[in-house]
Amino acid sequence: MADHHRTEPVKGFSLNQATTKYWSLDELVSGCVSVGVSAVGLWREEVTAFGTEKAASLVRDQGLTVSSLCRGGFFHDENWYDENRRAIEQAANLGTDTLVLVSGGLPGSSRDLDSARRHVGDAIGALVPDALAAGVRLAIEPLHPMFCSDRCVVSTLDQALHLASPYPASAVGVVIDTYHLWWDDTVWDGIARAGAEGRIAAFQLADWITPLPSGVLLGRGLPGTGAIDMKRFASAVRETGFDGFVEVEVFHEEVWSRPGASVLAEAIAGYEAAVA
């Protein structure tokens, strides 16, 4: 087990808040600072409950960078425009330039996947002026195809890049999450293309654990505990020149049940093994 009390900084690493779900924001911040982690990825629900201004002050006062805010999107909801404008504003208030978009599933009883994807592109276009004005980048995250019906109609990196392509790279980028993309043999060309277009807005590590749990959402493992070739992903992303933080973002009941400091130590070890 990695040392919980290391003092040298952990360069390039960010702990996504979801990985230590039962840590309060205060505990997340103090836990990261105590081991030399300089960045965190935050979630809107937790930030809103804590208080956005209070959260912004806390991370700023402790010298932390907010690597991303999750999530905007869910464009199948009727109030998607107002909700996403609030998300952009919240990201700006937290000082992050990256708002992760989970695009949403099929609306109602629709089976028209093409139309749903077109709507995602149109919705992103409607938000681009707000994003540019706020200095926040909309980061389209493709999710594994098993989430296509209810959570995200954008399933591949190529689809995400296609949706981003009409808009400036400074306004719309993509998220590369190992958990969602590892199965796709076209992802390597996609990563190179995303890098060449300057569209890699976030890079997230989570492993693929089988058997998947009931409900499938909580099937992520810490890096190095599952089936994914993390080193290949890290190398491919690094070769594009991407120099942003690498977030570890894991949803798993067993991980959540453990002490936050232990989870953070293992997340750092998995990150370092992947990017070394």
Side-chain angles (χ1 to χ4, degrees), residues 25 46-56 90 94:
L25 190 56
E46 284 76 7
V47 168
T48 300
F50 189 85
T52 301
E53 297 304 329
K54 185 180 166 190
Q90 192 170 36
L94 290 167

Side-chain angles (χ1 to χ4, degrees), residues 29 52-66 92-95:
V29 168
T52 301
E53 297 304 329
K54 185 180 166 190
S57 295
L58 175 64
V59 295
R60 186 171 58 243
D61 292 349
Q62 293 298 316
L64 291 176
T65 298
V66 180
N93 288 340
L94 290 167

Side-chain angles (χ1 to χ4, degrees), residues 173-198:
V174 297
V175 180
I176 294 167
D177 184 320
T178 57
Y179 175 79
H180 292 300
L181 299 178
W182 74 282
W183 57 275
D184 184 358
D185 65 344
T186 72
V187 73
W188 313 112
D189 289 339
I191 290 171
R193 177 183 157 200
E197 295 178 4

